[in-house]
Amino acid sequence: MEFKHDVIIVGAGLAGLRAAVEVAGNTDVALISKVYPTRSHSGAAQGGIAGALGNEEPDLWEWHMYDTVKGSDFLADQDAAEILAKDAPRAIYELEHMGVPFNRTADGRIAQRAFGGHTSNFGKAPVKRACHAADRTGRVIMDTLYFESLRKGIKVYEEFYLLDLLMHEKRVVGLVAYELATGAIHTFHSRAVLLATGGFGKVYKTTSNCFANTGDGVSAAYRAGVSLQDMEFVQFHPTGIYGLGVLISEAARGEGGILRNRYGERFMEKYAPGLKDLAPRDVISRAMAREIREERGIHGRDFMHLDLTHLGKDRLAEKLSDISSFVRIYLGIDPADDLIPVQHTCHYMMGGIPANLDGQVLGENQQVIQGLYAVGECACISVHGANRLGCNSLLDLVVFGHRAGKRIVRELGDLAWNPMPKEPDKSFLVKIEHLKERQKGESAWVLRNEMQGIMTAHCSVFRKKEDLEKALAGIQSLMERYEKVVIDNRGMRFNTDLTEAIELGSLLNLSHVILVSAMAREESRGAHFREDYPERDDQNWLKHTLIQKTGEVCRLSYKPVTITRFEPKPRVY
Amino acid sequence: MEVNFKIYRFDPETDSKPYYRDYTITANPTDRILDCLNRIKWEQDGTLSYRMSCGHGVCGSDAMKINGRCALACQKLVKDYEGKEIILEPLPSYKVLKDLIVDLDPFFEKVKFVQPYLLSTTALPEKERLQSPENSKKLDIAIRCILCACCMGACPVLNENERFLGPAPLVWAFRYIFDSRDTQYLERLKQVDYSHGAWACVNYYECTRACPKEIPITKYINTIKREIQKSKDTNR
């Protein structure tokens, strides 16, 4: 079928929903989501949303902006970081007005707690800046925004999976989507498309990301010729449950939790004497990897302990109940009595589709691509630079989701209906037909396991040239083998065997892009640490990476970082 | 260890009626049932369909019947069923679309019926509305609901009477009835004050037992009933 809507939003996480709330009402807007509504991965965000409300102690947006820029290792565009920090209180009050059930202070205001890298007075001491609803902040914001967008009458196509972005002479035309329930391929004709498709942590073996985070939107944009920005910057969260990757929120350390090595030492005192366990994630993950390398992991193995035993049962029940229950269910231990085995775990992609301050996607020569928008983890605006601070993600989603929504409303009158290409769905029809016909080859899960193994072994917290080269060769060979991937399921209804095979294509593409970008950047900055180039090199590398697909090869280029208030200086915590 | 699974299979397009299929896999006691499902699908039978996403009991995708009880496949471990064959079936009370996937549209329609959003006629302050920690605490367990529908599948009343509003929508009603910021308290009570609303619950407690987020659902429904009664008494 061909559907037609003025605006199509792809992805029903916080960024897509916040934009939807803005656009819905007077505009014909549809939301498509590959998972059933309210299942999106924003819901897994636990700890909070940052904003200098100053409800617990004095705070200023300038301090928040400074922390964001320093946390980014000075790669964030400072005009974007300024908007993020300045707009945060408004965005949070607005969520409260919509009904988000935040925890409260004794006098009834929104409660705040400490979080990694957030400080007062330009780095002097940790500050309570994270607004939260226990440890399920993302989930309650998502539910609030979802029902709010329904109330405003948005049309939702649930369990529709984005296959392809349709462009015509560098303008957006619409997209092609696969309906999971029926196996039908549909085309959507539109004047504006907003991509809010999230991250792609599934390129790694151990990740806090959900199964759906396979970078479909980022990969579709890349295939359509859009360049991707800063793809080498992959965040590893210090505290995923060992082996599983289920996240133990930074809020656990915000509430006073401590990381310990096999000797019971609070090792972060060594690496970040100022902020210790509340240093930014890249710093802590690297410290953990270093401890493990030097055989100070627990029992000499590849994990550390998170100690919450001193917090007491009441505090755990009140402020960290979800994570306490994860620990009980998956490890069979009680965090009030036992130490939690944790491991650094792939968590967040700083890179993505380059977009300006209103979420408009930037194409060649940084010109806006008419009708195409991107916000959230799939986008790179860039507020997080080389490393994102905890609680800045939910904030990014609502601040820039709101801005992109407003921009779309403002601009829609000027956006034309561009003609649909002939047989827009043909390439995927053929691809799927071939997939279903092929009898001999390898299964997607075999290739996916290998890919995740390669990326985890060679492109995690520590990187070096020979490892990256090895990984690149490995991924390239997997891409060749992927041409002959086979599936077991030839049916039409809920054929997840088929969609997983298609998702793997996106993941392989993105692994490749991460590796090429990482290999080129011969310095260490934020989450990208090169053992062969251990220092930050502002002289040569204070710039954003852009990578573009041109035919069968990819081309790297760079663009400057916007610096307004804070000149780069050494980053110590 | 070897674990035996018996899984409900049905593709309305090709099967005249549902059937069960047996699978045996090697699993660790601490593996999630979802891990086992994935292994079965990836390594043995790609035609098996089920929903999943976050894998740790937050998104609510993988509600199903596991050995007769509604639960999330990602929250139950192999060791919870030690020594037994594990039987997986779709969530009861809903139409099966394929295998373990059911049509949840009727569920979400019922949630929407209770208007699960804040309704307030008071003017918005410039900053946040104030809410005392005591009032905020009234909601802190209800807001754990992840809309997985385990309680709906487990409810014996709902299994018999599809017009019953059901436990989860009543949790959402509770969440807004007792939100001090919401001004539609009486209207919200009226909304669930009908024979297939709050009153259809007859305290089986199955919802409470099934809830993967440990929400005392039955207790909340009883609280709503009392509140309805109270509002009528004071208005009389």
Side-chain angles (χ1 to χ4, degrees), chain A residues 36 39 43 55 93 96-97 99-100 104 108 110 139 158-159 211 330 445 448 488 493-494 496 500, chain B residues 41-42 46 49 51 53 56 58-59 74 77 97-98 105 108 125 127-129 131 146-147 175 181:
Chain A
Y36 216 79
R39 310 303 188 210
N55 283 357
Y93 294 140
E96 195 284 326
H97 293 167
V100 172
R104 300 290 172 152
I110 294 173
R139 178 74 211 207
E158 50 224 25
E159 297 184 313
F211 287 97
Y330 300 114
W445 68 272
R448 189 176 55 229
D488 215 13
R493 288 177 165 242
F494 289 100
T496 50
E500 281 179 18
Chain B
K41 185 174 86 174
W42 295 336
S49 300
R51 289 192 178 105
S53 194
H56 63 288
V58 172
C59 76
C74 61
L77 308 184
L97 298 176
K98 181 165 188 295
D105 286 348
F108 277 95
K127 294 185 171 181
E128 70 266 57
R129 290 190 192 86
Q131 183 175 44
I146 56 169
L147 296 162
R175 182 242 174 280
R181 301 169 295 173

Side-chain angles (χ1 to χ4, degrees), chain A residues 53-321:
Chain A
L53 272 53
N55 283 357
E56 305 266 359
E57 52 189 332
D59 198 4
L60 295 174
W61 71 260
E62 287 90 342
W63 299 346
H64 185 186
M65 176 189 171
Y66 170 80
D67 292 336
T68 303
V69 171
K70 184 179 172 188
S72 82
D73 219 345
F74 296 90
L75 191 69
D77 285 322
Q78 295 189 13
D79 50 350
E82 178 164 339
I83 287 174
L84 183 84
K86 224 185 206 170
D87 198 31
R90 184 207 58 78
I92 293 166
Y93 294 140
E94 182 180 70
L95 291 174
E96 195 284 326
H97 293 167
M98 281 185 207
V100 172
F102 287 112
N103 283 38
R104 300 290 172 152
T105 61
D107 61 359
R109 292 181 297 162
I110 294 173
Q112 299 187 278
R113 64 181 161 207
F115 235 78
H118 290 280
T119 70
S120 59
N121 234 328
F122 306 107
K124 289 291 180 311
V127 73
K128 292 180 178 174
R129 187 178 285 150
C131 310
H132 55 279
D135 50 358
R136 54 187 74 88
T137 315
R139 178 74 211 207
V140 296
I141 297 177
M142 190 168 76
D143 289 337
T144 304
L145 288 175
Y146 175 63
F147 289 123
E148 188 67 23
S149 69
L150 286 186
R151 180 190 183 183
K152 290 198 160 181
I154 194 165
K155 164 89 183 142
V156 184
Y157 293 88
E158 50 224 25
E159 297 184 313
F160 273 57
Y161 171 53
L162 170 71
L163 291 177
D164 233 353
L165 193 60
L166 298 174
M167 308 274 282
H168 173 77
E169 290 173 356
K170 295 182 180 165
R171 286 154 173 263
V172 85
V173 183
L175 51 89
V176 181
Y178 178 87
E179 185 181 2
L180 269 106
T182 63
I185 293 180
H186 302 290
T187 54
F188 285 78
H189 194 180
S190 72
R191 295 196 280 160
V193 171
L194 172 74
L195 296 173
T197 55
F200 36 96
K202 280 287 158 187
V203 298
Y204 289 88
K205 196 161 90 185
T206 308
T207 172
S208 62
N209 282 198
C210 67
F211 287 97
N213 279 2
T214 54
D216 316 301
V218 181
S219 174
Y222 182 66
R223 290 196 311 271
V226 179
S227 47
L228 301 180
Q229 184 177 328
D230 295 339
M231 293 292 282
E232 61 272 40
F233 298 101
V234 177
Q235 179 166 84
F236 285 77
H237 192 293
T239 56
I241 291 181
Y242 180 56
L244 268 178
V246 171
L247 194 68
I248 301 295
S249 168
E250 202 165 293
R253 282 169 284 128
E255 297 285 350
I258 293 168
L259 286 162
R260 299 193 187 279
N261 64 18
R262 69 188 297 184
Y263 304 111
E265 292 164 342
R266 184 180 193 178
F267 60 88
M268 280 313 298
E269 285 177 334
K270 240 180 340 191
Y271 299 92
L275 293 185
K276 302 186 184 74
D277 299 275
L278 285 174
R281 291 169 180 171
D282 59 329
V283 175
I284 299 186
S285 288
R286 217 154 30 238
M288 288 170 72
R290 179 97 48 202
E291 290 288 301
I292 287 163
R293 252 189 201 186
E294 292 168 7
E295 298 184 355
R296 289 189 294 276
I298 305 304
H299 313 310
R301 290 171 57 200
D302 56 343
F303 64 93
M304 310 306 277
H305 273 151
L306 176 63
D307 184 356
L308 307 181
T309 54
H310 52 294
L311 299 187
K313 280 192 194 298
D314 291 348
R315 189 134 174 224
L316 286 168
E318 188 190 341
K319 294 281 198 166
L320 301 167
S321 75

Side-chain angles (χ1 to χ4, degrees), chain B residues 87-223:
Chain B
I87 304 168
L88 303 180
E89 295 165 301
L91 212 58
S93 295
Y94 294 99
K95 191 175 116 193
V96 175
L97 298 176
K98 181 165 188 295
D99 303 337
L100 302 172
I101 297 180
V102 297
D103 180 7
L104 281 179
D105 286 348
F107 166 58
F108 277 95
E109 284 310 314
K110 284 179 176 172
V111 176
K112 282 177 221 165
F113 171 80
V114 303
Q115 297 179 287
Y117 32 78
L118 197 78
L119 295 169
S120 170
T121 50
T122 51
L124 288 175
E126 195 188 323
K127 294 185 171 181
E128 70 266 57
R129 290 190 192 86
L130 297 182
Q131 183 175 44
S132 68
E134 295 71 44
N135 279 334
S136 150
K137 270 203 188 82
K138 288 181 188 163
L139 317 176
D140 67 352
I141 295 180
I143 60 166
R144 288 184 191 166
C145 176
I146 56 169
L147 296 162
C148 65
C150 280
C151 59
M152 304 292 276
C155 175
V157 178
L158 202 59
N159 293 164
E160 300 282 312
N161 170 17
E162 63 173 357
R163 292 173 68 191
F164 174 34
L165 190 55
L170 286 164
V171 168
W172 281 80
F174 178 99
R175 182 242 174 280
Y176 284 101
I177 288 167
F178 293 102
D179 191 327
S180 60
R181 301 169 295 173
D182 194 278
T183 54
Q184 304 308 103
Y185 170 80
L186 279 177
E187 290 72 8
R188 286 187 184 279
L189 286 178
K190 271 186 212 139
Q191 197 171 42
V192 296
D193 177 17
Y194 65 107
S195 60
H196 302 297
W199 300 108
C201 167
V202 290
N203 292 324
Y204 280 108
Y205 281 88
E206 287 299 328
C207 54
T208 303
R209 276 189 276 270
C211 178
K213 304 314 266 187
E214 297 175 5
I215 303 172
I217 307 175
T218 320
K219 185 177 146 196
Y220 284 178
I221 297 174
N222 288 329
T223 307

